[in-house]
Amino acid sequence: MLSKSQAKVFFLGGTALFSAIFLGLTIDTHRQMAERTNEQNLTESVIRGKKIWEDQNCMGCHTILGEGAYYAPDLTKVVDKRGEEWIRIFMRDPQAMFPGERKMVKYDFNDQEMDDIIAFLKWVGEIDTNGWPPEPNIKTDTIPGTRNVNAGPILPEAAEQPAVAEAPAKFKSLCVACHQVNGKGGNVGPSLDGVANRFNREYLVKWLRDPQAVKKGTTMPKLPLNDQEVESIADYLMTLK
Ligand code: HEC
Ligand code: HEC
């Protein structure tokens, strides 16, 4: 048992110690804030985008940096994940991209407002968040061309069956929003079943690099893919016979 005066010292000492730690961490955070948020990139457009974000209450459904409501996907890294073009097309008519799913409001933003929203989301995505959000543990059995990693070990009989090619990550996050494979995915663009019979690999690589260059006026956007991603997606497409 502590005596009354020991308890007092314990309480005051503890309060002082933890206040000091709290203050120290707060100062440390403020010291890093400008750098970690890339304060120099806070343009007028980003600021207008933030205002639209607030006025339209996007937080009523979405989170950024973990804050907001959990009805709709977190948008912290959405520009990285989807690309600017995809977001533009999606926002113009969200239902067309995900028919029959949860509803995102159709806002009639003009070009400038759209630029501002994207500038804001891009800025948010570049904040150094110490690795947050972590890679999601997505259940992959609902995504075409993937195997549920939680489904347990592959049984010997199963392993002998011809392997279904694993769709590259970018395919699962970008392409299925607009294209179906095996009846799963969006229907903005044509189904990709049998695409290997319609095009050769060389054509597909060109198409993925820049659809506009192949077919002027096409509504398929140029997506943010690096060379390696283009190659691996082309390899995967060539398995869709
Ligand atoms: C009423 C709820 C609601 C509001 C308000 C809302 N959204 Fe959404 N949003 C959704 C839903 C639901 C989805 C997911 C669509 C789906 O999967 O069918 C979505 C998806 C998105 C996506 C694509 C995310 C991804 O990774 O696929 C973006 C970008 C987006 N919303 C931006 C916004 C912006 C910007 C605002 C405010 C101007 C906003 N949303 C307001 C419900 C909402
Ligand atoms: C925003 C929607 C959208 C996204 C995302 C998208 N596409 Fe498309 N894609 C389309 C549309 C629309 C067409 C039809 C274009 C046309 O014929 O002008 C198309 C056409 C194609 C075609 C030609 C198919 C055919 O039979 O004519 C291929 C191949 C293709 N897309 C592959 C992909 C791949 C791979 C990805 C992911 C890297 C992807 N697409 C992402 C909308 C999209």
Side-chain angles (χ1 to χ4, degrees), residues 58 61-62 72 75 81-82 86 90 98 101-102 104 107:
C58 310
C61 294
H62 289 281
L75 298 181
K81 180 172 142 216
R82 301 294 201 183
W86 186 96
F90 167 77
F98 298 106
E101 289 190 16
R102 291 166 303 168
M104 154 100 180
Y107 296 98

Side-chain angles (χ1 to χ4, degrees), residues 139-148 164-167 172 236:
K139 261 181 75 199
T140 49
D141 54 357
T142 53
I143 302 172
T146 62
R147 184 179 158 270
N148 182 358
V164 176
E166 167 85 7
K172 289 183 265 176
Y236 170 70

Side-chain angles (χ1 to χ4, degrees), residues 57-63 68-74 103-105 107:
N57 193 24
C58 310
M59 277 309 229
C61 294
H62 289 281
T63 49
Y70 288 82
Y71 175 65
D74 182 82
K103 281 212 173 94
M104 154 100 180
V105 189
Y107 296 98

Side-chain angles (χ1 to χ4, degrees), residues 154-175:
I154 300 174
L155 300 171
E157 319 86 271
E160 276 157 26
Q161 284 169 7
V164 176
E166 167 85 7
K170 276 279 161 103
F171 187 89
K172 289 183 265 176
S173 69
L174 287 174
C175 317

Side-chain angles (χ1 to χ4, degrees), residues 1-20:
M1 267 286 274
L2 295 174
S3 70
K4 214 170 171 182
S5 65
Q6 277 173 326
K8 202 169 167 187
V9 168
F10 190 68
F11 171 74
L12 290 175
T15 304
L17 175 66
F18 286 104
S19 299

